[in-house]
Amino acid sequence: MRLKDKVCVVTGGTRGIGHAIVEKFLEEGAQVIFFGSRKETVDKALKDFQEKYDQVEGAYPNLMDPASVQAEMDRIAEKYGRIDVLANNAGVADDTSIYDYDGEKFSKILDLNVKGVFNPILAVVPHMKKQGGGAIISTSSMVSKYGQPAGVAYPTSKFAVNGLTISLARELGPDHIRVNAVAPGVTNTDMMKQVPKEMMEPIIQKIPLRRIGEPEDIAKAYAFLASDEASYISGEILQMDGAMLV
Ligand code: NAD
């Protein structure tokens, strides 16, 4: 129960890694408010979580709209009295060739993966400062170390997540707000389930731990970084890729 009664907001909590983070936080005793993009997917995930846990609710502010996110964060802070943890997990992947890109496509990825991380941070830090501290964790990616051979907006966005993380750890440290990121490698979410087995084998052979990551692996790191066990860890980008070399 490392997160007992901590008020935790998780973006992109309806499926994949975010779903596992919400479950892990609930298992650790947190009050969780998770965000999704649409009412239908939020309601579906909420029903699923509520089969085992009571301390959970869902919401669907527009992460790209600062006013929408601010209103939701203010509502949460008003209702629960504080916000201890922000888990910025929502994100979209991309594999468009540079020859097929246009500015609109590039901006769309950046809008969710960077502004969708920045806006929740902007909305939550006044509450965290007022209450005397908090923890912010964002989902980066192994591509923030290596880049990737197509879909350049995606690694660009994840390098930006690292930049936000390292810089805000310095700026917010004096307010006792820790800022970290987790950088998963290939992780078993809906996206990966569509990859045929014969394509997965060569990928697995590049991973020294000889398996792809599970959302639960990533969620464990989130719980640790959100908890007081990580009280002196800030500005860290935690690689979780099974030591994969690309
Ligand atoms: P997923 O597609 O299963 O889940 C994405 C989540 O983001 C969903 O909960 C969805 O509601 C939310 N989301 C998507 N578009 C949104 C929008 N416009 N507004 C609000 N929310 C939106 O993906 P996943 O694999 O679980 O990815 C979660 C995070 O992990 C992402 O930031 C992704 O970049 C990162 N990541 C994934 C992998 C991987 O191999 N799966 C590897 C490295 C990093």
Side-chain angles (χ1 to χ4, degrees), residues 12 14-17 37 89-91 112 139-140 154 158 184-185 187 189 191:
T14 55
R15 58 175 198 264
I17 292 171
S37 51
N89 170 75
L112 180 63
T139 312
S140 179
Y154 183 69
K158 296 301 186 179
T187 309
T189 60
M191 201 167 51

Side-chain angles (χ1 to χ4, degrees), residues 164-238:
L164 278 168
T165 301
I166 295 166
S167 302
L168 289 176
R170 297 183 66 175
E171 188 171 349
L172 294 171
D175 296 325
H176 311 289
I177 301 170
R178 296 184 296 105
V179 189
N180 292 291
V182 170
V186 182
T187 309
N188 191 15
T189 60
D190 286 354
M191 201 167 51
M192 293 313 299
K193 286 191 181 104
Q194 288 157 23
V195 179
K197 199 167 178 288
E198 56 275 20
M199 278 177 71
M200 280 313 297
E201 258 326 296
I203 295 174
I204 291 169
Q205 287 312 312
K206 282 190 186 167
I207 305 172
L209 285 179
R210 291 293 181 270
R211 66 174 180 89
I212 64 168
E214 294 298 326
E216 293 73 22
D217 291 319
I218 313 303
K220 283 182 208 167
Y222 257 93
F224 167 67
L225 289 170
S227 78
D228 295 340
E229 286 184 6
S231 53
Y232 200 55
I233 302 179
S234 194
E236 190 62 37
I237 314 293
L238 181 61

Side-chain angles (χ1 to χ4, degrees), residues 139-165:
T139 312
S140 179
S141 166
M142 70 185 288
V143 305
S144 74
K145 194 173 172 191
Y146 301 115
Q148 66 181 30
V152 70
Y154 183 69
T156 302
S157 71
K158 296 301 186 179
F159 273 81
V161 168
N162 293 2
L164 278 168
T165 301

